[in-house]
Each structure stands twice: as C-alpha cells, then as structure tokens.
Amino acid sequence: MKIVIITGGSRGIGAAAAIACAESGMGVILTYNANPGRAEDVVRKIDACGGRAVALPLDVADIAAFPAFRADIVATLASTWGRADFDCLVNNAGHGLYSPIEAVTEAEFDGLYDVHLKGPFFLTQTLLPLMATNGHIVNIVSATSRVATAGVAPYACFKAGLEVLTRYQAKEFGPRRIRANAIAPGPIRTELGGGMSAEFETMLAGQIALGRVGEASEVGSVVASLLSDENRWINAQTIEVGGGYMI
C-alpha cells in the first residue's frame, strides 16, 4: 500500500485528493491548519469507504515547526501502517488573496510566499529522508501563472516559482527514482480566497472551452491518477486541469 501525505487536506482540492487517493487504495495522512473538525470529517468519509486516513495539524508557513511535524509523521507511520517511510507528498496547502498590485501589503506578500513557495520547499526538504525510493512529489500550482488574472499577482508569482521548483526536484531527486510533477488547476469552485461570486464564475466559465468552472473532485482524481504506477513514466511535467482554459 502506498502512503501519501497531503497538506491542506481538510477542504477543497486537498480534501478531494485525499478521498480520491484513499479510493484508489492509498493510505492517507492529511494536514489541516485551523479547522480540525473539517479534517476529521474527511477522515470519517475515508474510513466509511474502507480506507485509512489520519489528520495531523500543520501550519505550512511555520518552518520552525517542521521537525516536530516530521516526528509526528514517523510516529503515525509506525502506529498506523507499521512503516518507517512514506511514498508520496502532495504540496497543496494554500490561501488566496484578491487585491491589485498597488494595494498588496508586505505582510500579505510575505504570507503568500511563506505558504506557497518557502513552505513547500522546506517541508519537502524536511520529509525527503522519510520518502521511499520510487516516491513521488506533486505540487499544486495554478493556471494563473500562465493566464494573467488581475488581483492575484503575488499568488501567481509564487505558484510559478513552485512550478520551477518541481523541475529541479525531478532533476535532483532522480537518482533516488523520486518523481516530481505539478498540477495546475484552472478555475475551480472552492473556498480559496472566499470563493467565487456568481458574476465572477460566469465570466470565468466564458473563458473555458467546456463552458463551466471545474469541481475540486475533478482535480483530486487527477492527483490520484498521477500518483499511480500506471503513470510512473510522467516526470518533471506540469499538467493543467482546467477544461481548456484560455485556449
């Protein structure tokens, strides 16, 4: 059985990915920051369908807490699956900010940087010694790094940085046969940044070839598929999951 760690797994794309991975036979460790109740809801859904999941607290912006989180992972792997290593890491946790460039504060900028680029960089570094040979890293990036959307400049910049980091991870971790890929969701109906207004959703749907925004489950299923052995020769790639966004 593969074991996958999914950051930000209590809602949205992270929760959908956790459920999809469990349905495909993986054991799941999902993290949450501020809402343990929602994380436990995801765990219950996975348990109800015969899977196995554990929820652990993690603030991806708090790098000083990563060694303690690694110790929690070690203990959870041993007690739940009788293992000392895990197979897959999905760097998904994040938050949105909709603000024009001239209005973004330094604190907002730093907060987005910490969660979307610095955090995944050092969390991967911290957990890498526990990752099994033939492991896989999936970084959730964004179509906003390709399609400029007013109001999300810092978010898009750091997601673009994470996309570049993905290729470097594939290159440097290749000797251990660890793959690294990125998934770039297009407009998806989630709570990120407070969700979409009906007007905004209609506007976005008009920019998508299939004529609607996507659902979190449609990204989650791609995460599970990419982590499977059937896709083991995909490496150092960015896969856009957006229904044909701005083509």
Side-chain angles (χ1 to χ4, degrees):
M1 173 187 287
K2 288 185 178 182
I3 310 298
V4 57
I5 300 172
I6 302 174
T7 66
S10 64
R11 60 180 184 171
I13 290 171
I19 292 168
C21 287
E23 289 176 342
S24 69
M26 301 180 202
V28 178
I29 300 174
L30 60 98
T31 77
Y32 63 90
N33 184 9
N35 200 326
R38 294 192 63 169
E40 289 302 328
D41 286 343
V42 177
V43 169
R44 280 191 289 270
K45 288 178 181 177
I46 290 172
D47 288 345
C49 68
R52 187 71 180 97
V54 177
L56 296 176
L58 175 69
D59 179 357
V60 175
D62 185 6
I63 293 171
F66 287 178
F69 176 70
R70 174 176 160 169
D72 289 342
I73 291 291
V74 169
T76 299
L77 288 169
S79 63
T80 306
W81 289 283
R83 286 184 54 177
D85 58 7
F86 70 97
D87 303 283
C88 309
L89 171 64
V90 179
N91 286 307
N92 165 78
H95 67 271
L97 171 71
Y98 294 94
S99 183
I101 291 171
E102 63 265 27
V104 175
T105 67
E106 184 177 2
E108 291 170 336
F109 184 97
D110 289 346
L112 289 165
Y113 168 68
D114 287 345
V115 169
H116 293 287
L117 185 54
K118 184 178 180 181
F121 184 103
F122 286 103
L123 181 63
T124 302
Q125 181 190 77
T126 299
L127 296 180
L128 189 63
L130 302 179
M131 183 173 283
T133 299
N134 295 313
H136 194 177
I137 298 163
V138 172
N139 295 316
I140 304 300
V141 294
S142 174
T144 58
S145 64
R146 180 179 66 84
V147 179
T149 303
V152 297
Y155 173 88
C157 287
F158 302 136
K159 285 296 192 181
L162 184 58
E163 187 174 342
V164 172
L165 177 61
T166 302
R167 294 192 289 274
Y168 276 85
Q169 290 171 334
K171 185 74 170 182
E172 294 194 17
F173 305 155
R176 287 183 54 191
R177 299 193 297 281
I178 291 173
R179 295 185 292 141
N181 289 290
I183 290 176
I188 303 294
R189 187 181 291 110
T190 70
E191 300 172 23
L192 185 70
M196 302 179 191
S197 66
E199 180 181 11
F200 189 47
E201 182 173 328
T202 299
M203 183 273 290
L204 289 172
Q207 299 175 346
I208 298 171
L210 296 181
R212 64 172 176 84
V213 300
E215 303 293 341
S217 60
E218 294 173 308
V219 183
S221 63
V222 176
V223 173
S225 176
L226 190 57
L227 294 178
S228 71
D229 288 339
E230 286 78 5
N231 287 312
R232 61 184 175 273
W233 202 236
I234 299 175
N235 193 24
Q237 302 301 305
T238 298
I239 299 171
E240 186 167 308
V241 184
Y245 180 42
M246 294 292 285
I247 56 175

